[in-house]
Amino acid sequence: MQTTALYKTLGLAFGAMLISACASKGDVNEGAGSTVAPTATEQQAEDTNAVESAGVNGEALEAEANEAQAALREQTVFYFDFDQSTLKSEGKAALMAHAAFLAANPAASVVLEGHADERGTVEYNLALGERRSMTVRRFLMANGANGSQLKVVSFGEERPVMMGHDEGSYAKNRRVEVKYQSR
Amino acid sequence: MVKHSLIVLMWLFASLSQAELLIEVTQGKQSAIPVAVVPFSWNGSSALPEDVSAIVTNDLASSGYFRTLATSNMITQPHQLSEVIYADWSRLKQDFVVIGSVELQADGYAVQFHVMDVHQQVEILRHRVKGKASQLRDLAHYISDYIFKKLTGVPGVFSTKLIYVTTNRERSRFNLNYADADGAREQLIYSSKHPIISPAWSPDAKKVAYVSFENGRSEIFFQELATGKRERVVAFDGSNSAPAFSPDGTQLAFVLSKLGNPDIYVMDLATRKIERMTNHYAIDTEPQWDVDGRHLFFTSSRAGGPQVYKLDTANKEVVRVTFEGGYNARARITADGRKLVYVHKANDRFHIASQDVKSGLVHILTSETELDESPSVAPNGSMVIYAASEANRSILAAVSVDGDVKFRLPSKYGDVREPAWSPIFQ
């Protein structure tokens, strides 16, 4: 089985990262990560030939892992609670993927655009949006990105994505958008 | 507080049809003074471009301090002192009668007006005012101010101006507008695809400061009203916002945030040197000068949620000012320094509250509108204009500092936000 072989070649650190990523981001990869990994261990004991092919499949794995990372990086909007600027756990895997990309591509740079919902005062919300951007910036830096790659800007409550006046809209408006300036 | 609903609207005079904002008085003082403004006589052959006495009537009614008499209910319509029959006005339960005449002169208009006290049966005010042909509305507001001051003891603010921001639904166009305090004669003074926030008047009313995002982040600009000349004044690395002129106009308080830590700064406008006033990891924003020109009110999250604090710019000492509720922000002070007005959250709703500076007593002023924000106090301390949400749109509304008088300035399109009430023009 191709997947089995793939998992055999997982480097420990890489595997751990992918699994942790899958664990927090309920996505396509989740099933593969949790069910296939034990099978791989089982088969490794009997099938020595498969080791031979490991190098060959290694390329494929990297491609697939890159794909997984790229998929994670497709999430570029991260949400916050009212009057809060702490990162929610569901966004962390994707932000780690952005951080890894930025670490691997020093020429890449992003603008972190902070936003608030319309409740409360305009200037306080401007500050709040900036706080949120800064939270994301710190998280990216802690995970390998360089500060010089990360520009912070806040639009406060001026640029909502949803125009409604209900919690559903507000939740979508309290956000930080990761916008790549160069890759 | 007893509500007294005044009739929703209004006098339809031609020029207002193109104005974007229209005043609707929603609540007046129960003690409103009954006054009859008799249509002024006019010696011209064609109709006056502005109905002066109608504007005066509208001004007095929208202040909430007066209850005006509809012309259709008037028994007589005198123009001369000798024609006033006090018994008629007494029967109509009027306290005061205003009569007047408009004359066309070589260089413009002259308006003469009289105010009579119905109970004392005596003329208490006689005045003559002149202006250019283009200034009929200004003449009318001048007359309103004059009458208001005479009858209430408080300076009128009918000749003052507003600046405010309008946006379309998509938030792809932001306009900074200038208009009369009654919403008439709106003029666009700056337009941008990028957000404009926090407009503020200089104390001489000659220029405004505001925050523009035209360069991709928040920077503070000044704009001279007479010339339209703009100048980028505060654009340090990071976020620059919340400009506030000192009462003498020599200093500008503002917020500078370098890497996510907003603090209060003061710039000396002559030298452009800045001094940092707060240094705290929490959000410090929305500075506003106290009337003494030495202290600054500001919003800080240093206790968790936003609260209003007062800073002594001489020694940087900070004391907390608001204690009721978990969200108090964007304080403004009345010109007499006695009332602090700010945004207050109670039961998950945002309203405008006033706080007596001496006693600390808090009074929530608004209840009918939602998401109230951006309060700005009229220069005579009588009213607070603010932005609120109504039927999914942002409108301007006003409430008196005692909560008794309320009116709204609904717009015809888009969202109206961030009003700033001008000083009294000298």
Side-chain angles (χ1 to χ4, degrees), chain B residues 84-246:
Chain B
V84 176
I85 304 161
Y86 283 108
D88 287 349
W89 302 107
S90 184
R91 204 175 311 148
L92 291 166
K93 295 189 166 43
Q94 299 302 298
D95 285 359
F96 299 97
V97 178
V98 179
I99 62 167
S101 54
V102 185
E103 281 176 25
L104 185 62
Q105 299 190 325
D107 50 349
Y109 295 99
V111 185
Q112 180 165 327
F113 62 98
H114 312 252
V115 179
M116 271 74 64
D117 181 325
V118 175
H119 303 298
Q120 307 292 324
Q121 306 209 351
V122 66
E123 179 190 31
I124 56 168
L125 172 67
R126 179 189 298 199
H127 196 74
R128 190 179 177 85
V129 56
K130 291 181 183 184
K132 285 183 286 198
S134 60
Q135 290 180 307
L136 261 184
R137 271 200 98 81
D138 299 304
L139 290 179
H141 290 316
Y142 176 93
I143 295 165
S144 304
D145 283 338
Y146 213 92
I147 296 171
F148 189 87
K149 175 79 190 288
K150 181 73 183 177
L151 300 186
T152 67
V154 179
V157 289
F158 306 112
S159 301
T160 57
K161 305 285 179 179
L162 299 174
I163 44 172
Y164 49 87
V165 177
T166 54
T167 67
N168 57 355
R169 291 302 284 160
E170 300 72 35
R171 295 287 168 92
S172 56
R173 179 54 58 182
F174 295 79
N175 295 326
L176 187 62
N177 296 291
Y178 174 94
D180 290 0
D182 63 3
R185 294 192 290 189
E186 177 182 272
Q187 292 176 62
L188 179 63
I189 62 169
Y190 179 65
S191 182
S192 175
K193 305 187 287 194
H194 304 285
I196 300 166
I197 60 169
S198 304
W201 290 86
S202 66
D204 63 5
K206 289 189 171 137
K207 58 178 176 267
V208 291
Y210 54 85
V211 173
S212 167
F213 288 72
E214 65 203 67
N215 296 318
R217 67 195 176 102
S218 46
E219 298 169 335
I220 298 169
F221 290 74
F222 286 2
Q223 184 168 328
E224 275 179 26
L225 291 167
T227 62
K229 201 182 119 213
R230 298 176 82 226
E231 184 193 358
R232 192 173 74 156
V233 177
V234 187
F236 296 104
D237 275 354
S239 171
N240 310 269
S241 65
F245 287 95
S246 61

Side-chain angles (χ1 to χ4, degrees), chain B residues 24-37:
Chain B
E24 293 176 6
V25 177
T26 50
Q27 184 182 321
K29 270 191 188 319
Q30 202 195 11
S31 59
I33 303 165
V35 61
V37 181

Side-chain angles (χ1 to χ4, degrees), chain B residues 1-9 23-34 58-68 148 365 368 382-383 398-408:
Chain B
M1 184 176 62
V2 183
K3 285 183 189 177
H4 173 84
S5 284
L6 289 184
I7 292 171
V8 179
L9 224 53
I23 287 190
E24 293 176 6
V25 177
T26 50
Q27 184 182 321
K29 270 191 188 319
Q30 202 195 11
S31 59
I33 303 165
N58 177 31
D59 281 346
L60 296 179
S62 73
S63 74
Y65 285 78
F66 294 93
R67 191 159 61 240
T68 52
F148 189 87
L365 304 178
E368 294 86 355
S382 64
M383 303 290 290
V399 60
S400 59
V401 172
D402 58 17
D404 283 354
V405 180
K406 293 178 181 175
F407 68 80
R408 304 178 311 152

